[in-house]
Amino acid sequence: MTAADAGGRAAGSAAYAHSLVLVTGGARGIGRHLAEGFVRAGYPVLLTARGDESAQRAAGEIAAAAGAGASAPVLSPRVRGTALDQTDPASVAALAETVEALGREWDAPLCVLVNNAGIVEKAEGPVWEIDAEDMAAVLETNLVGAFRVTRALLPGLLATAESSGAPVRIIDLNSGSGAQGTSAHAAYSASKAGLFRLAQSLVDYGHERGLRVFEMAPGVIESDMTKSMPMHDHRTAADWTDPADVVELALTLASGELDAWTGRFVRAGRDTPAALREAASGLIPGDLSDGTRVLTVPM
């Protein structure tokens, strides 16, 4: 690590130290990569998993790795894990209380919500052959659950934006399946398409109050979920999206550098932060009348 790298990381750590990031489903897969990336960048992070033990174990491992990193150790990394079942209103309410309490403890109100937690159907095929309850569970988790979490945390996010005078941000982990559809996974595709419409409403009503919302597709990360899907069996090592690209894009969105892209769809591994910065010069923040509203950006 060069002196410039060290200085940049230290500056970022200082800037982000009072901005809590919540990553749902942050104990494994894409969420784990994101939680690790935010901690390394100097953000205090709260991650969730279905079980409290899994969440706390992941947080401990991330903290240990960040604090001992040979190339860029993070001084006193702050990361905590908590249980969340976003299909359970009581669990979501408890999460909101945890977020508020942790924000006071760390002097770091929630500023970035990463809606990552999600599942996919256990089987591929036409709707009439897939278990109806399995499909319903996908919609309940990915769409209704994400709505519950977002709705529970919005009052605090908007209050933070008002008191600080600075924007707050929501990053939804979306998918090409939401933008274009994947016939073999109808429920998953429908759940991700629904996130676009929720984002549209949030942007239309929330932009003037400091809310910025992004639909970010991570590409295809090698994970337990994607490896369980036969449609990805053909992939070799070169066909998977590099997790580093996903983390880099999420960090750039969270930083505010790409706020002109609020309400729009970006894809890690294809839309680089540099390219989005350059393209942003032609966008008017909050004005989605220019043909680049979510669901219209080419994959």
Side-chain angles (χ1 to χ4, degrees), residues 220 222 234-243:
V220 186
E222 188 173 13
H234 69 282
R235 294 183 182 275
T236 63
D239 296 322
W240 299 101
T241 304
D242 187 343

Side-chain angles (χ1 to χ4, degrees), residues 209-225:
R209 298 187 63 183
L211 183 63
R212 307 292 180 262
V213 187
F214 309 95
E215 301 303 295
M216 183 182 79
V220 186
I221 296 289
E222 188 173 13
S223 67
D224 291 342
M225 186 176 82

Side-chain angles (χ1 to χ4, degrees), residues 4 13 45 66 100 113 151 208 239 273 283 290:
S13 298
V45 171
E100 184 177 356
L113 165 60
R151 176 63 181 83
E208 293 302 317
D239 296 322
L283 301 177
D290 57 5

Side-chain angles (χ1 to χ4, degrees), residues 8-260:
R9 187 189 61 75
S13 298
Y16 307 144
H18 297 287
S19 298
L20 179 64
V21 176
L22 170 63
V23 181
T24 65
R28 61 179 185 171
I30 297 171
R32 176 67 173 256
H33 289 296
L34 291 170
E36 291 171 345
F38 277 107
V39 170
R40 287 196 303 269
Y43 287 92
V45 171
L46 175 65
L47 64 86
T48 76
R50 289 293 293 270
D52 195 58
E53 182 179 349
S54 297
Q56 293 189 31
R57 180 170 60 251
E61 292 169 354
I62 291 172
S71 60
V74 178
L75 298 178
S76 303
R78 291 180 294 173
V79 52
R80 193 165 297 176
T82 191
L84 170 65
D85 176 358
Q86 58 189 38
T87 69
D88 178 4
S91 181
V92 173
L95 172 68
E97 293 177 358
T98 298
V99 167
E100 184 177 356
L102 194 59
R104 291 194 301 267
E105 178 183 339
W106 284 349
D107 186 24
L110 181 67
C111 292
V112 180
L113 165 60
V114 182
N115 280 317
N116 165 77
I119 60 175
V120 69
E121 295 99 306
K122 296 182 177 68
E124 297 179 353
V127 169
W128 58 87
E129 293 181 2
I130 305 302
D131 181 77
E133 293 308 310
D134 184 33
M135 294 187 70
V138 172
L139 291 166
E140 179 71 15
T141 300
N142 297 3
L143 180 56
V144 180
F147 163 74
R148 282 195 181 101
V149 170
T150 301
R151 176 63 181 83
L153 298 176
L154 272 170
L157 282 166
L158 293 173
T160 295
E162 181 179 8
S163 63
S164 67
V168 291
R169 299 172 181 90
I170 296 174
I171 302 173
D172 290 328
L173 267 290
N174 212 302
S175 171
S177 294
Q180 296 183 329
T182 298
S183 297
H185 289 282
Y188 181 80
S189 297
S191 70
K192 294 301 183 179
L195 289 178
F196 283 118
R197 301 283 66 89
L198 288 176
Q200 177 182 338
S201 180
L202 290 173
V203 171
D204 286 345
Y205 284 104
H207 188 269
E208 293 302 317
R209 298 187 63 183
L211 183 63
R212 307 292 180 262
V213 187
F214 309 95
E215 301 303 295
M216 183 182 79
V220 186
I221 296 289
E222 188 173 13
S223 67
D224 291 342
M225 186 176 82
T226 53
K227 290 178 74 173
S228 73
M229 301 164 67
M231 64 182 292
H232 296 308
D233 287 348
H234 69 282
R235 294 183 182 275
T236 63
D239 296 322
W240 299 101
T241 304
D242 187 343
D245 292 337
V246 182
V247 172
E248 180 186 22
L249 183 54
L251 287 172
T252 309
L253 292 172
S255 74
E257 294 180 50
L258 298 175
D259 275 359

